[in-house]
Amino acid sequence: MIEKLLIANRGEIACRIVRTAQRMGIATVAVYSDADAQAPHVRMADESVHLGPPAARESYLLGDKIIAAARQTGADAIHPGYGFLSENAGFARACREAGVVFVGPSPEAIEAMGLKDRAKALMEEAGVPVTPGYHGDNQDPAFLKETADGIGYPVLIKAVAGGGGKGMRKVEDGANFLDALESCKREAASSFGEERVLLEKFIANPRHIEVQVFGDSRGRVVHFFERDCSLQRRHQKVLEEAPAPGMTPGVRAAMCSAAVRAARAVDYVGAGTIEFIVDGSGPLTEDGFFFMEMNTRLQVEHPVTEEVTGYDLVELQLRVAAGGSVPEQDAISLSGHAVEARLYAEDPATGFLPSTGPLHRLDLPQPGSGVRVDSGVEEGGEVSIHYDPMIAKLIAHGETRAEAIDRLVDAIDEDVRVYPVRTNAGFLRRALDSDGFRSGAVTTHFIEAHLDALAPEGVSTLHYAMAALAYLDGGPMTPPANDPWASRDGFRVNAPAYLAVAFDREGERIEVRLTPDGAGFLAEVGDDSVRLDMPRISLLREFGHVAALVDSEEVVAEAETVEDGLLVSLRGESVLMKPFNAEAAAEGLDGEAAVKAPMPGKVLSINVEVGQSVTKGETLCVLEAMKMEQSLAAPRDGVVGEIRVSSGDQVGAGDVLVALTEDEEAAA
């Protein structure tokens, strides 16, 4: 058995591995960068070794330093987690040469499945169905375009070394193919150091279903059934569940058998995932799925499989790495349903850009709530600009799919509060509770097709209404003592015809009009309104909550005075409500709009010139941040008054890139 394990990772997956290893009696060693010196995974481990500066290429990607740390501490095994070096065949080979157990497959298996073009050819030989396309060596742009024309549009261009949605472009017609190819290769070279691509026929209504496989050194391979990961945004998984909705025994048998054949084709040892693209235009069929790729590591979404099978996959990884066996296939069965939501520090209002910074407030579901939480950050810590901005994975299990979804929705409503970092919690809640997801009729295009409903702009009318209630019960905007609304006893039926409460949202005056209506009132914000029955503002004094019935459902918001306003947390979203200040708003009107870098990055291109007229939404420049290209658009109509950067410049978060004016003569 392994005696001491070094975890070559950070964040929630490092914490996850430490917990299982310690439960098994295995001593643990953490590694960390300067940015993670006080991180939870470092404190949880029995020992820790410093690697270097925050940048991953100077710390977590230094395989030689990690192996040296294993030797220094006497660790006899290294678990790579996911990401970083987990699918690096060179690192796996270096571990073997150093006499350290690599908790994962052989370097030969990683190499065989690491490049999508070679993997597809191997799968064809093994009798695993693959998507129609081209995965050959000829990378001449003219040849690739001619091949794409022959496949038929739309097609996908995919980096052969890609993953996580990077190095992937959908092309609708031949006119845009060469531009998309150039962009795809540039991003692939930046992200993976390999610009070669393959082509795939685009499946119009695709579902993403994957099978968890496990092999041991005795040549046995088993599966742990399937997961559905179809709810994605920009090819990044958002919600995952097991088992897949609409799965039939026949399709499950065909898909899981194909996955086992795929793993056996490379003599696979350890945990792996065979990903299939599935035709979701109708019911699942035994000939309607195609091999997409194999992830030769533990997946982010592995907890849903653990919840429905009862197996600890990390424990099984460690036992197999030490020479143990996988269980018999008949010993693995499904029980109930599990759903996982990835809680990220990202702002849906800014196109889901990462929202980094300190975590002054971090509330997550607690043990016993019926929801499992895998997290690697804590209140008082921060979300770093250097790494993936995941805060936690929230996993709910129930006897039925509906019960699991309800449990996860309730957990977000009641237990998730994060401030001042912005999160996607509200977006996750709306996705979980949407008719489309609840019905199981979800393809990988679902979020794109319903983005306006899932990520609406601005603050919800319900947030404003609950904030107005809270202010009326002692917040910063409490009305004068002679105002009939000044009572601390709750809603007054003898109130004036209406009461207007004004908030400041980025210099704009937002008025909430409250009109008595029976046992409650109608809250109006512009053209939108929400009816709240039986409001209970008296709860604020004792519990810090305000409550009301909305469409017969009790809605509870937490209200807390912070800074110069009120922090209102409702359905996973925490919003700072500030009282409107007319003088301050007037001072902020300078006739100019600045396009700023939303996060640190590199300027790839400037698309406009000084003096050029632009319209709202027009792309002004392109920024590369966290290895993803971000197009920055004009916030309003105007004239380019100043360009403060050039292509190739490194910029920081908040740096002004392009400034707009109203007047061409003012352009400098």
Side-chain angles (χ1 to χ4, degrees):
M1 191 61 187
I2 295 168
E3 294 185 0
K4 183 179 286 189
L5 178 70
L6 184 145
I7 298 98
N9 218 297
R10 63 175 303 280
E12 62 86 16
I13 187 57
C15 294
R16 161 78 183 87
I17 296 167
V18 167
R19 284 192 295 270
T20 288
Q22 291 181 339
R23 179 177 56 77
M24 296 173 66
I26 300 172
T28 56
V29 180
V31 291
Y32 64 94
S33 70
D34 291 344
D36 284 337
Q38 303 301 318
H41 79 279
V42 177
R43 296 199 311 276
M44 289 173 62
D46 300 302
E47 300 176 62
S48 61
V49 178
H50 176 248
L51 291 177
R57 64 180 178 276
E58 300 179 64
S59 53
Y60 295 105
L61 290 174
L62 296 178
D64 55 345
K65 270 199 170 185
I66 291 171
I67 292 174
R71 286 173 168 163
Q72 171 191 330
T73 58
D76 53 344
I78 294 176
H79 196 308
Y82 53 73
F84 294 138
L85 296 171
S86 62
E87 294 182 282
N88 187 305
F91 179 64
R93 185 171 286 109
C95 288
R96 184 166 64 187
E97 293 171 353
V100 179
V101 173
F102 177 77
V103 183
S106 68
E108 292 77 18
I110 296 174
E111 288 172 337
M113 289 299 198
L115 296 178
K116 291 182 173 62
D117 54 347
R118 297 179 187 174
K120 286 180 179 293
L122 188 61
M123 291 302 98
E124 285 182 320
E125 294 178 8
V128 178
V130 301
T131 312
Y134 174 75
H135 44 79
D137 294 328
N138 191 337
Q139 296 290 300
D140 177 67
F143 170 80
L144 291 175
K145 182 182 182 304
E146 181 180 352
T147 303
D149 292 343
I151 294 171
Y153 296 96
V155 298
L156 283 178
I157 307 173
K158 300 172 71 172
V160 298
K166 296 177 182 177
M168 183 184 299
R169 298 292 185 274
K170 175 187 174 184
V171 186
E172 296 285 359
D173 55 63
N176 299 314
F177 181 86
L178 294 177
D179 287 343
L181 176 64
E182 181 181 355
S183 175
C184 185
K185 285 190 170 187
R186 182 172 62 240
E187 187 172 273
S190 173
S191 298
F192 313 110
E194 167 64 83
E195 71 170 18
R196 291 188 302 120
V197 301
L198 57 82
L199 305 178
E200 282 184 358
K201 175 66 179 175
F202 181 77
I203 306 298
N205 295 290
R207 288 178 62 180
H208 180 129
I209 300 178
E210 59 190 33
V211 177
Q212 177 73 61
V213 294
F214 234 107
D216 63 27
S217 57
R218 293 167 176 77
R220 293 200 303 176
V221 178
V222 295
H223 67 79
F224 285 75
F225 302 102
E226 81 283 350
R227 298 183 289 254
D228 192 307
C229 307
S230 298
L231 201 83
Q232 302 180 5
R233 186 188 61 79
R234 297 178 183 172
H235 308 290
Q236 293 278 8
K237 299 167 186 174
V238 174
L239 299 175
E240 301 103 353
E241 58 182 310
M247 182 59 68
T248 67
V251 176
R252 175 174 289 137
M255 190 176 292
C256 291
S257 295
V260 169
R261 289 200 304 275
R264 284 178 176 155
V266 291
D267 299 322
Y268 198 80
V269 175
T273 301
I274 308 297
E275 300 192 346
F276 294 103
I277 187 169
V278 180
D279 185 355
S281 58
L284 299 177
T285 62
E286 295 180 22
D287 60 354
F289 63 90
F290 308 96
F291 173 84
M292 186 163 54
E293 63 180 340
M294 181 178 191
N295 286 304
T296 53
R297 54 169 168 80
L298 194 68
Q299 290 283 87
V300 177
E301 58 274 17
H302 76 273
V304 295
T305 295
E306 294 183 325
E307 293 298 311
V308 296
T309 64
Y311 282 87
D312 182 327
L313 297 184
V314 172
E315 177 180 348
L316 188 55
Q317 279 188 298
L318 296 175
R319 294 194 183 281
V320 166
S325 300
V326 296
E328 296 289 342
Q329 187 66 68
D330 291 345
I332 306 168
S333 60
L334 287 170
S335 176
H337 201 97
V339 183
E340 174 179 296
R342 301 188 187 189
L343 181 65
Y344 274 99
E346 60 185 13
D347 188 357
T350 61
F352 295 90
L353 290 178
S355 174
T356 58
L359 290 163
H360 296 324
R361 179 75 178 274
L362 177 60
D363 292 342
L364 297 172
Q366 296 300 306
S369 65
V371 174
R372 167 178 164 180
V373 177
D374 286 8
S375 180
V377 296
E378 60 190 358
E379 189 169 283
E382 70 173 54
V383 178
S384 171
I385 65 173
H386 300 286
Y387 313 114
D388 183 89
M390 180 183 284
I391 292 176
K393 298 184 303 194
L394 310 176
I395 309 103
H397 180 265
E399 292 186 10
T400 65
R401 184 171 184 268
E403 183 180 37
I405 294 172
D406 288 344
R407 187 165 287 169
L408 199 48
V409 168
D410 290 344
I412 293 174
D413 282 354
E414 298 169 9
D415 301 317
V416 175
R417 298 175 186 85
V418 186
Y419 179 79
V421 164
R422 300 284 295 165
T423 78
N424 66 339
F427 164 76
L428 293 174
R429 189 215 186 271
R430 285 186 286 271
L432 284 162
D433 205 30
S434 65
D435 291 341
F437 184 77
R438 282 191 174 274
S439 70
V442 172
T443 70
T444 59
H445 305 318
F446 182 82
I447 290 178
E448 180 184 359
H450 299 86
L451 189 59
D452 289 346
L454 299 177
E457 293 184 3
V459 178
S460 73
T461 298
L462 188 55
H463 265 88
Y464 281 122
M466 301 302 264
L469 278 181
Y471 273 120
L472 293 173
D473 196 55
M477 290 183 62
T478 301
N482 61 353
D483 192 308
W485 280 70
S487 169
R488 298 293 191 268
D489 297 327
F491 185 80
R492 293 278 300 276
V493 295
N494 60 340
Y498 70 86
L499 181 74
V501 182
F503 298 104
D504 185 326
R505 292 303 297 170
E506 300 179 353
E508 180 183 1
R509 184 180 188 274
I510 304 295
E511 181 179 284
V512 183
R513 179 175 292 194
L514 304 170
T515 304
D517 183 23
F521 62 84
L522 183 69
E524 298 173 282
V525 181
D527 295 331
D528 294 325
S529 64
V530 59
R531 188 178 305 279
L532 294 98
D533 294 317
M534 301 180 67
R536 291 179 287 156
I537 58 177
S538 59
L539 287 174
L540 186 64
R541 296 195 308 279
E542 186 173 357
F543 304 110
H545 297 150
V546 289
L549 295 179
V550 179
D551 295 330
S552 300
E553 176 188 353
E554 182 174 61
V555 175
V556 180
E558 180 179 281
E560 176 185 359
T561 301
V562 297
E563 300 173 9
D564 57 347
L566 195 73
L567 183 64
V568 178
S569 299
L570 173 66
R571 292 179 172 171
E573 294 178 312
S574 296
V575 180
L576 180 62
M577 298 290 193
K578 295 184 178 181
F580 182 74
N581 185 320
E583 293 182 4
E587 291 175 0
L589 297 175
D590 58 6
E592 181 178 76
V595 176
K596 301 179 181 180
M599 59 191 299
K602 177 182 178 181
V603 178
L604 289 183
S605 66
I606 302 294
N607 297 25
V608 292
E609 299 177 349
V610 172
Q612 178 178 335
S613 296
V614 296
T615 58
K616 181 179 179 180
E618 183 176 345
T619 298
L620 304 185
C621 56
V622 179
L623 186 72
E624 183 185 57
M626 299 185 80
K627 296 186 179 181
M628 296 289 284
E629 294 185 11
Q630 305 288 343
S631 296
L632 304 183
R636 61 168 173 79
D637 295 350
V639 176
V640 178
E642 185 180 3
I643 299 175
R644 299 188 184 180
V645 294
S646 302
S647 295
D649 286 356
Q650 293 288 336
V651 296
D655 287 355
V656 175
L657 309 181
V658 180
L660 302 181
T661 71
E662 302 282 355
D663 189 352
E664 291 186 13
E665 295 182 1

